[in-house]
Amino acid sequence: MAKITSPAELEKLREKILSQRDPDKLCITLCSGSACHATGCDPVADALAEEMEKQGVVGKVDFRRTGCHGFCEQGPILVVYPQGICYLKVKAEDVSEIISATVKGGKVIERLLYVDPNTGEKATLEEDIPFYKNQQRLVLGPNRKIDPKSLEDYLAVDGYQALVKTLFELSPEEVVGEVKNAQLRGRGGAGFPSGIKWDFARKAPGEQKYVVVNCDEGDPGAYMDRSVMEGNPFAVLEGLMIGAYAIGANEGYIYVRQEYPLAVANLTIAIEQAEEAGLLGENILGSGFDFTVKVHRGAGAFICGEETSLLNSLEGKAGEPNARPPFPATRGLWGKPTNINNVETWANIPLVINKGADYFTAIGTEGSKGTKIFSLVGKVNNTGLVEVPMGTTLKDIIFKIGGGVPGGKQFKAVQTGGPSGGCLPEDLLDTQVDFDELTRAGAMMG
Amino acid sequence: MDIGKIDQIIDKHDSEASALIQVLLEIQSENKWLPKEALTRVSEKLAVPMSRIQHITTFYKTFSLTPKGRHEVHVCVGTACHVRGAQNILDTVEEVTGVKPGETDPDLNFSVETVSCLGCCALGPVMVVDGEYHGNVEPAETAKVLKDCACSQEQ
Ligand SMILES: Cc1cc2nc3c(=O)[nH]c(=O)nc-3n(C[C@H](O)[C@H](O)[C@H](O)COP(=O)(O)O)c2cc1C
Ligand code: SF4
Ligand code: FES
């Protein structure tokens, strides 16, 4: 891609991409996150390429490999758009029929549909599946629409629009103000207000400052950060750039844990594409703002999720924690002011800037705004990634979305927030997911 | 391991001492383990004392100072996989390969490691063999995957 040197050029490119895309054109998407690799999306993709050729639909039908759709247990997941016909647990053997019956004939293949384990009812469309129906996927939404290796796909869903707005319409103070007004709280566990943290780093004395993404995600059972990073690395990158502009940093680091090779791979491509397009580097889009970013792989140490350990590890040292204060906002990486946020926190930033604080604060509870992603695992009917507005009750997550306990067994307890969190028994099922409510109940967000 | 290759990796990171962990990770993924000569070279080129390299390589679980087998088996023992029978998988792995977690057989065929959460919990138990993920594995399938590995190397 040629370097883009102004917002007008970016918009022209976006229009060109959109004009080449017909929303009514048939498109097959295949989920290709880590979990779907384990359930065998590669053989399905190979079979698809072969069958499309054989049955002469190449060019008439698009094929896109996307990030995680969240319903990992039912993977590989294949969706035929524009209708949104959703096939689960697809095997290479099913592909020929999918092309001939569904793509060419418009017929639905019953046996590949979702069956509700409680009612026996089938669901044809993705949005009819109870697992999806009760979610609000503001952050995860683009995962199923874009190929994480394609900058064009991200541009087609308004990607980097928030960056343009930030660089050309807002002052750093205004960006911090917007994040403060949105009352966004850190998704990494403690729920510290992000705008206030950004303000500390912005006001901290010093020329050299850093921004950092924490993608260590050490808690077993949690994989929301992995899915965002694998499926939509662009949003994290865009959020990071906006934060860098706001606090006055020109360098960023993204720390990804060792166990997430696909996240590293997709992120690295996203960075290369952004560099090539002039969205990273010097004088981004002609704004005068410079920013570079490096990916740093972890090497297997749980403690590196803690921010001071992570920063030590970034410096090439053992990931041992330091006492705080001083906080990273004043003395972080190499002793310079540093703002570190969790992956999901960063991924919320483009949304906050694009839609504004009022939109964001309209979702959620008094003290916790926006949505939160959870990984629902264990003995529930539907396991996978769930994104719900803050304030949703645990009962709704487990029963409405998760479909309850298999075999109609009695519910015992739910653990939230990983090992640092807590277990909540049945009588606390009406607890809302909200930073303060969960803390009050003795558990944690996450 | 070839010194030229090591130098190449170091050069890629502009010989910066702060890139120590990244350099070691790349050497390890190239060579599967970290031989003494490689560490000495890294120490010289990055101007980092050997004692610090020692500290780093023992602090981070990923690094190995002993040779690794041709096939690397990782079994997830995170909470979700544990609940779904990771121990059975580990037992089967040991039965088939004769290797316990954290060890490598003398012929360098297999290295077995336990890992914590790979982030595919919905598919537990999860086993990774030479970078390939296997979800919802059962003992029978585990044995088959490992035997296929062993066969492919005899050819
Ligand atoms: C033992 C320990 C482990 C942690 N692990 C993580 C983690 O895996 N991911 C994360 O984002 N934050 C983790 N944190 C929190 C970070 O220290 C830090 O608060 C967070 O990255 C800040 O980002 P946020 O404000 O966006 O939440 C951990 C904290 C502790 C004490
Ligand atoms: S991958 Fe998931 S299931 Fe497996 S151990 Fe990890 S947390 Fe657990
Ligand atoms: S990786 Fe496929 S649904 Fe999550």
Side-chain angles (χ1 to χ4, degrees):
Chain A
M1 192 178 286
K3 238 187 180 67
I4 308 165
T5 54
S6 69
E9 266 180 54
L10 181 71
E11 280 323 303
K12 228 163 80 193
L13 174 64
R14 197 192 310 279
E15 271 164 35
K16 190 172 145 226
I17 294 168
L18 287 173
S19 72
Q20 287 162 352
R21 295 187 177 198
D22 174 0
D24 295 327
K25 188 176 176 186
L26 279 164
C27 177
I28 302 172
T29 65
L30 177 68
C31 168
S32 303
S34 282
C36 281
H37 277 100
T39 48
C41 64
D42 281 339
V44 175
D46 293 346
L48 263 169
E50 201 178 299
E51 276 300 322
M52 282 172 64
E53 181 92 28
K54 215 156 90 190
Q55 301 198 29
V57 295
V58 178
K60 295 185 196 113
V61 181
D62 288 331
F63 170 42
R64 177 171 295 131
R65 296 188 74 168
T66 69
C68 182
H69 290 213
F71 208 8
C72 310
E73 190 180 50
Q74 302 285 336
I77 300 173
L78 186 149
V79 185
V80 183
Y81 293 103
Q83 305 91 326
I85 301 168
C86 180
Y87 292 144
L88 306 173
K89 296 194 175 172
V90 175
K91 295 200 171 52
E93 302 90 89
D94 301 321
V95 167
S96 155
E97 193 185 345
I98 292 174
I99 304 275
S100 61
T102 309
V103 171
K104 292 170 111 180
K107 282 197 284 291
V108 173
I109 305 169
E110 293 278 324
R111 76 184 139 83
L112 295 174
L113 296 178
Y114 174 80
V115 185
D116 189 313
N118 296 324
T119 61
E121 262 174 59
K122 285 187 175 153
T124 308
L125 305 181
E126 204 169 16
E127 62 258 32
D128 294 338
I129 300 176
F131 178 77
Y132 287 116
K133 202 159 56 184
N134 297 297
Q135 298 193 39
Q136 188 175 9
R137 301 193 143 211
L138 298 181
V139 176
L140 280 177
N143 266 31
R144 59 182 188 151
K145 293 195 196 129
I146 64 175
D147 174 348
K149 297 183 171 65
S150 163
L151 174 59
E152 292 202 354
D153 279 9
Y154 188 57
L155 293 177
V157 295
D158 293 339
Y160 289 117
Q161 211 165 55
L163 178 70
V164 169
K165 185 170 172 192
T166 299
L167 296 181
F168 293 92
E169 291 172 31
L170 302 173
S171 68
E173 293 82 357
E174 284 170 325
V175 178
V176 172
E178 197 72 25
V179 176
K180 268 191 190 168
N181 291 339
Q183 301 172 45
L184 174 67
R185 294 172 68 172
R187 272 33 176 170
F192 194 82
S194 307
I196 295 178
K197 199 154 93 175
W198 287 23
D199 214 17
F200 287 145
R202 197 181 73 78
K203 291 190 176 137
E207 281 294 299
Q208 181 77 15
K209 295 179 185 179
Y210 297 100
V211 281
V212 178
V213 180
N214 184 344
C215 186
D216 195 57
E217 198 167 48
D219 292 352
Y223 56 101
M224 34 291 181
D225 296 346
R226 191 209 67 189
S227 294
V228 171
M229 199 58 114
E230 278 177 8
N232 189 0
F234 309 105
V236 182
L237 204 53
E238 188 178 0
L240 186 68
M241 289 152 91
I242 294 167
Y245 171 81
I247 74 154
N250 300 108
E251 280 179 58
Y253 286 86
I254 304 181
Y255 188 99
V256 188
R257 71 190 289 237
Q258 158 79 9
E259 290 84 351
Y260 291 177
L262 187 62
V264 172
N266 289 357
L267 176 62
T268 307
I269 294 171
I271 291 173
E272 283 166 8
Q273 288 178 338
E275 283 169 348
E276 224 173 276
L279 293 159
L280 275 174
E282 280 176 22
N283 192 16
I284 293 168
L285 298 175
S287 66
F289 175 63
D290 306 333
F291 186 65
T292 54
V293 63
K294 282 200 183 117
V295 179
H296 188 107
R297 287 183 296 154
F302 174 71
I303 189 65
C304 286
E306 192 280 325
E307 56 192 24
T308 60
S309 313
L310 187 151
L311 295 176
N312 280 329
S313 183
L314 275 183
E315 292 179 15
K317 300 191 219 146
E320 282 146 353
N322 300 341
R324 299 177 310 177
F327 285 92
T330 50
R331 275 184 64 85
L333 194 57
W334 290 295
K336 311 286 186 210
T338 302
N339 180 70
I340 175 165
N341 278 121
N342 164 264
V343 170
E344 195 183 331
T345 314
W346 287 117
N348 266 288
I349 297 296
L351 183 77
V352 167
I353 299 296
N354 274 331
K355 303 253 182 154
D358 290 342
Y359 170 88
F360 197 79
T361 50
I363 305 158
T365 61
E366 181 69 38
S368 306
K369 302 297 184 188
T371 59
K372 179 75 192 84
I373 310 176
F374 291 90
S375 57
L376 191 58
V377 292
K379 293 213 159 58
V380 280
N381 274 318
N382 304 323
T383 61
L385 275 196
V386 171
E387 182 178 347
V388 289
M390 296 278 191
T392 306
T393 62
L394 290 171
K395 192 188 246 157
D396 279 350
I397 297 181
I398 295 165
F399 291 90
K400 269 204 189 144
I401 298 172
V405 185
K409 285 213 192 74
Q410 176 71 24
F411 170 86
K412 288 207 189 91
V414 52
Q415 191 195 25
T416 70
S420 359
C423 275
L424 301 178
E426 191 183 6
D427 57 346
L428 287 175
L429 269 183
D430 285 322
T431 304
Q432 295 185 333
V433 296
D434 168 300
F435 288 105
D436 313 308
E437 285 282 319
L438 283 175
T439 308
R440 210 167 299 138
M444 231 174 114
M445 185 69 86
Chain B
M1 192 185 172
D2 177 30
I3 292 284
K5 186 77 216 171
I6 296 172
D7 287 354
Q8 224 177 355
I9 292 173
I10 295 171
D11 289 345
K12 209 174 94 193
H13 291 277
D14 305 325
S15 305
E16 274 183 43
S18 60
L20 176 61
I21 297 170
Q22 303 307 298
V23 167
L24 294 175
L25 278 171
E26 279 180 44
I27 294 175
Q28 164 131 336
S29 64
E30 194 75 34
N31 192 57
K32 293 191 172 192
W33 68 288
L34 300 170
K36 186 86 202 290
E37 315 85 73
L39 298 183
T40 316
R41 188 71 182 174
V42 170
S43 165
E44 279 167 27
K45 296 267 293 189
L46 293 185
V48 175
M50 219 34 198
S51 57
R52 200 169 127 212
I53 296 188
Q54 202 68 37
H55 185 41
I56 296 289
T57 50
T58 45
F59 179 84
Y60 293 101
K61 195 174 161 227
T62 305
F63 297 121
S64 173
L65 298 172
T66 50
K68 285 274 177 180
R70 272 176 289 273
H71 300 290
E72 287 190 74
V73 182
H74 296 256
V75 179
C76 185
V77 292
T79 320
C81 287
H82 173 76
V83 175
R84 291 177 176 226
Q87 190 56 48
N88 290 340
I89 303 307
L90 269 180
D91 292 344
T92 311
V93 171
E94 191 181 339
E95 235 165 72
V96 177
T97 63
V99 183
K100 285 194 178 58
E103 295 180 358
T104 302
D105 62 294
D107 298 331
L108 300 187
N109 284 329
F110 286 100
S111 291
V112 179
E113 296 285 344
T114 56
V115 288
S116 51
C117 197
L118 298 164
C120 307
C121 313
L123 305 174
V126 181
M127 170 174 79
V128 186
V129 180
D130 297 333
E132 201 168 310
Y133 286 65
H134 301 269
N136 286 320
V137 283
E138 284 155 16
E141 195 197 333
T142 306
K144 184 174 175 302
V145 171
L146 296 173
K147 280 179 186 146
D148 286 352
C149 265
C151 289
S152 70
Q153 96 200 8
E154 273 160 26
Q155 282 162 13

